[in-house]
Amino acid sequence: MPAHAPDTTHDDPTAPAPTDPLGRERAHLSASRSALRAMREDVESLDIRDVTANWVNAIVLQAQIDDRIKALADLTHTPLFFGRLNYLHAPGAELAEGAEGEQFYIGRRHVHDADGDPMVIDWRAPVSQPFYRASKTDPQDIALRRRFGYTGGELTAYEDEHLSDPGEVAAVSKLLQQEIERPRVGPMRDIVATIQPEQDKLVRSGLTGSVCVQGGPGTGKTAVGLHRVAYLLYAHRDRLARTGTLVIGPNRSFLHYIEQVLPALGELEVKQATVDDLVARPGLEVRGTDTAQTAVVKGDARMAEVLGRAVRSHVTRPTEPLMVVRGSRRWRVPAYELEEMVEELQKRDIRYGAAREALPQRIAHAVLVRMEQAGEAPDDRVQDAVARNPAVKAAVKEIWPAVEPAKLVLRLLSDPEFLALHAADVLTEDEQKLLLWPKPFRSVKSAKWSAADLVLIDEAADLVERTHSLGHVVVDEAQDLSPMQYRAVGRRCTTGSATVLGDLAQGTTPWATRSWDEALAHLGKPQAVVEELTAGFRVPREVIAYASRLLPSISPGLAPVASVRETPGSLRIEEVPDLTAAVVAACRESLAHEGSIGLIAADARIPVLAEALLEAGLPYLSPGEETTAESRLTLVPASLAKGLEYDYVVLDEPAAIVDGEPDERTGLRRLYVCLTRAVSGLTTLHSAPLPPALV
């Protein structure tokens, strides 16, 4: 792809000559940075004292201004634009002969000059789409696509593709390849400059439909999900500003790793959480653990039926009439009429708590009817007063008592008879025994709740009172969620949409989902479109091919990732007599390379390796701590490796990783995850025999 002088659109005597195209592009970058700085200064200079009616409005408006100032920050090492499009014709105009085309710089955010003319176009704008999708076979009215290369924030190179020139042969972009392979130090970065056509299709899919992305290691599914959030906020900002967005990750280390992607794109309002964060309740701490068998039962979707029965069992049929005294008059509501009210509320599709709140109004209405028949003329205030009458409140408490979700779950896990009553024909006797605590706890506060218990409490809470729904939810590493966890996530987007990201081959929990159709049904999004990403851009071909030997054992029928990157020498497998010493030596050798280093090992091996690294004078970070140019080695327990990536990975004792899981398939899946964290090179060291599939 030859360098080509850009079109000249301004007559500036101080600008570099047309024979210096790189200089002209650098000048445009400098001018764009100045324009962005001016945009920021304009916002900073706003005086809101005369436009706010009160202090509340002032606080809200000032917060909005502060967010705008943050969004307009010029990140030193983040280029304002990474590409340029030269259209043959003006976008949207008829393709008439001689019509003048336009030139647009494509970047992470919109930048305009003092006159309001765009200097950089947001990558999410419709006019930017051909940068990702245009090709020699489908040029989309693009004469020239230019990619820029940067070093330390400085524009140092460019490449041109003349998409509408039949005489130019299509070629692989070296700058694109270099950007994909650029060493990784610090948190995850955006891929906005390298989005591929199949990824762009998913990123720009609409808000109303839910999408499930199945993608093997290195296919960019996490980045696609994050960029989809950024795109939806651009295309539907007003709606999502009202309803909210949420990104759900598997653990805190993962969330810390991805947390800078959206701010780099100018999006600051997206919340991030784990499923445990979603279901957390004030005063309830996770202090207990479950066996794998118990956790599987607690995570089973059948628990929703058990909980539903238990909640509904609190309603009792009225057997006595109700007498309401107002002044000197007494009004009688017979038992059969009360029973009809209860039956009508039970048939309606409303929450337990909403029905409980409706019952006193139903009773009060029946009393008002009698008052009117007696010649009185009561109004709404009288009905509200009757609904608050002590006799009415006592009757409601007896018929439709309040249910506290945590106490309900406490009773289910403590009382064999109560559990058996509501789990009959749903759970087997053996499954019920797995649920029961060996020694019941006396109170909600003293109970040693497990993470799975809080999901059950969240389900019970939703049966009582509807959970607030957001506009869009992204859930990553979704293959590891239990059916009950899917339901907890689904409650957060009942009126919104979801982006589900995962890889069935990387399911490392005993309850890992077996199919996306099943998972989406539990999520409440059975109509979601399932898309598969099979082109790998991160993991070298040699490494992913080696790891893919495990696929027939861990996920039969799943297509292996086809990596576009061939990196000779990226895979080293060695049997060593002194494993710990060899691992330390491999880490020291890896640190001679540029970029981040991850030492991944079975959780049980972490203390030994930590001590050995310190004795060798090799300081290390823990997952979630940000790598820097001075500190690039991270010691990673296998259980926390999912979703992370490092330029070079040293993998310690594969057999120990497999043995650290409750069963062989889960162990091999965990190993598959660990084998696919490397971007540039993988060194696997072992003293025990390798799993047969890898030999």
Side-chain angles (χ1 to χ4, degrees), residues 152-446:
E154 294 297 321
L155 199 162
T156 55
Y158 68 91
E159 273 179 352
D160 286 346
E161 297 172 89
H162 299 84
L163 298 178
S164 299
D165 182 359
E168 184 176 288
V169 179
V172 176
S173 168
K174 292 182 180 179
L175 287 181
L176 181 63
Q177 193 76 8
Q178 289 171 6
E179 175 63 20
I180 291 173
E181 297 176 2
R182 181 158 57 94
R184 286 150 168 76
V185 174
M188 181 182 180
R189 60 174 181 260
D190 64 73
I191 62 162
V192 65
T194 63
I195 293 173
Q196 300 300 297
E198 62 272 25
Q199 296 172 326
D200 189 67
K201 175 186 175 184
L202 296 172
V203 167
R204 296 177 191 265
S205 55
L207 175 62
T208 55
S210 294
V211 178
C212 174
V213 182
Q214 158 64 39
T219 55
K221 57 185 178 294
T222 296
V224 165
L226 294 174
H227 286 69
R228 175 160 159 72
V229 172
Y231 172 76
L232 292 175
L233 285 168
Y234 174 88
H236 308 279
R237 189 167 301 280
D238 289 344
R239 178 175 173 183
L240 289 178
R242 294 193 306 271
T243 57
T245 52
L246 175 68
V247 174
I248 301 171
N251 52 58
R252 280 280 147 203
S253 296
F254 177 84
L255 292 177
H256 183 74
Y257 178 62
I258 68 170
E259 67 183 357
Q260 293 304 316
V261 174
L262 289 167
L265 299 173
E267 300 299 345
L268 306 170
E269 296 302 314
V270 181
K271 292 183 173 60
Q272 298 181 352
T274 64
V275 173
D276 290 346
D277 294 332
L278 291 187
V279 301
R281 300 181 73 81
L284 301 185
E285 294 183 34
V286 175
R287 297 186 295 143
T289 57
D290 293 316
T291 65
Q293 287 178 304
T294 298
V296 168
V297 177
K298 287 182 178 180
D300 195 295
R302 292 174 296 164
M303 288 301 300
E305 174 61 23
V306 175
L307 289 164
R309 291 180 179 182
V311 168
R312 293 189 295 271
S313 71
H314 288 75
V315 179
T316 58
R317 297 287 179 180
T319 57
E320 299 290 335
L322 171 64
M323 195 68 68
V324 178
V325 178
R326 275 188 60 80
S328 61
R329 303 293 300 270
R330 295 162 59 89
W331 307 99
R332 182 176 181 274
V333 182
Y336 78 86
E337 193 169 340
L338 293 173
E339 187 172 1
E340 288 174 354
M341 296 178 195
V342 171
E343 288 179 352
E344 187 267 334
L345 287 171
Q346 286 180 319
K347 290 177 181 177
R348 295 184 61 192
D349 185 23
I350 58 176
R351 297 298 195 273
Y352 181 93
R356 185 176 188 273
E357 291 177 358
L359 182 57
Q361 291 292 334
R362 294 286 199 284
I363 296 172
H365 178 72
V367 172
L368 258 67
V369 169
R370 286 163 172 74
M371 289 181 175
E372 290 171 346
Q373 291 172 342
E376 296 188 18
D379 57 17
D380 290 344
R381 289 174 297 177
V382 174
Q383 179 167 325
D384 290 339
V386 172
R388 296 192 302 270
N389 183 279
V392 173
K393 292 169 71 174
V396 170
K397 184 177 180 180
E398 180 71 22
I399 298 168
W400 209 295
V403 171
E404 188 176 327
K407 286 185 177 180
L408 177 78
V409 175
L410 180 79
R411 186 179 178 189
L412 277 173
L413 301 181
S414 306
D415 185 340
E417 293 183 1
F418 187 69
L419 176 61
L421 175 64
H422 302 300
D425 303 322
V426 178
L427 302 177
T428 66
E429 290 185 7
D430 288 340
E431 288 172 326
Q432 293 176 38
K433 290 178 182 177
L434 287 171
L435 290 178
L436 291 166
W437 283 320
K439 183 180 179 181
F441 297 100
R442 292 185 176 181
S443 68
V444 166
K445 289 189 176 181
S446 67

Side-chain angles (χ1 to χ4, degrees), residues 461-526:
D462 186 70
L463 290 168
V464 175
E465 185 176 349
R466 187 180 299 277
T467 305
H468 173 68
S469 175
L470 300 167
H472 192 77
V473 171
V474 174
V475 53
D476 204 354
E477 302 296 351
Q479 73 281 343
D480 280 334
L481 299 186
S482 70
M484 290 299 287
Q485 287 176 319
Y486 273 115
R487 290 175 61 87
V489 173
R491 284 192 283 278
R492 272 74 186 178
C493 56
T494 50
T495 59
S497 55
T499 298
V500 180
L501 311 166
D503 179 12
L504 296 177
Q506 295 186 60
T508 51
T509 55
W511 50 82
T513 190
R514 291 168 291 186
S515 76
W516 290 121
D517 287 343
E518 180 181 308
L520 293 169
H522 294 313
L523 188 70
K525 306 293 182 185

Side-chain angles (χ1 to χ4, degrees), residues 70-143:
K70 291 177 184 177
L72 290 172
D74 186 1
L75 307 178
T76 307
H77 295 289
T78 303
L80 271 185
F81 57 80
F82 46 81
R84 199 186 91 189
L85 291 176
N86 283 36
Y87 276 80
L88 287 172
H89 307 83
E94 294 185 10
L95 304 185
E97 188 68 30
E100 184 180 353
E102 292 188 59
Q103 173 179 289
F104 300 99
Y105 286 85
I106 312 302
R108 287 169 171 78
R109 67 196 66 190
H110 174 83
V111 179
H112 60 254
D113 62 17
D115 296 324
D117 294 327
M119 300 188 71
V120 180
I121 300 294
D122 195 300
W123 66 275
R124 298 166 287 188
V127 76
S128 302
Q129 183 171 306
F131 184 80
Y132 302 106
R133 298 200 194 180
S135 64
K136 294 290 292 184
T137 56
D138 180 21
Q140 300 188 16
D141 200 42
I142 300 300

Side-chain angles (χ1 to χ4, degrees), residues 548-569:
S548 294
R549 295 181 187 181
L550 297 174
L551 286 179
S553 301
I554 62 177
S555 195
L558 197 65
V561 172
S563 178
V564 300
R565 296 178 53 222
E566 187 171 359
T567 313

